Amino acid sequence: YKAHYLPVIPINPKADEIEGLLVVNSLSEIPQVDSTVSVSVITPPVVTSKVVSEAIRLGIKNLWLQPGSESPEAVALAIASGVNVISGGPCILVSGEVSLRDSKL
């Protein structure tokens, strides 16, 4: 994300800094959370379900579940809650330019 000059806030309960960026512990700690926030999820599936639940609670409407983070339950929960979900595709962090261009961000 940084390489494409996209705004990013890393979230990790066990780190203070990632790639020179200050880290928050959870979605709830993002300074401004609203329906325009998009979240790229890069967690194990069991953690992804918790992230999806928190996103729904906060009103986040856009989730990109990176390969390896998806679970059928998390995807179903997000869709049932009216969240836009991208899953089952390439990792934007690996595919880079092609995925970014195709996503029309």
Side-chain angles (χ1 to χ4, degrees):
Y1 296 97
K2 284 177 57 176
H4 296 287
Y5 307 101
L6 295 171
V8 62
I9 300 172
I11 302 168
N12 187 316
K14 297 179 181 178
D16 295 324
E17 183 180 302
I18 295 175
E19 295 185 16
L21 297 171
L22 293 178
V23 173
V24 297
N25 291 319
S26 69
L27 287 174
S28 300
E29 292 183 18
I30 295 175
Q32 184 177 355
V33 174
D34 57 32
S35 63
T36 65
V37 170
S38 295
V39 177
S40 179
V41 181
I42 309 165
T43 58
V46 67
V47 176
T48 300
S49 293
K50 295 174 186 173
V51 172
V52 169
S53 294
E54 185 177 17
I56 292 166
R57 184 176 55 76
L58 293 170
I60 294 170
K61 294 294 183 185
N62 303 293
L63 296 174
W64 192 320
L65 304 183
Q66 299 296 336
S69 69
E70 304 118 321
S71 74
E73 297 81 16
V75 172
L77 175 61
I79 291 170
S81 298
V83 174
N84 301 310
V85 180
I86 298 172
S87 67
C91 175
I92 192 168
L93 301 174
V94 174
S95 300
E97 297 294 331
V98 173
S99 294
L100 186 61
R101 184 183 62 244
D102 290 349
S103 70
K104 297 177 178 47
L105 289 177

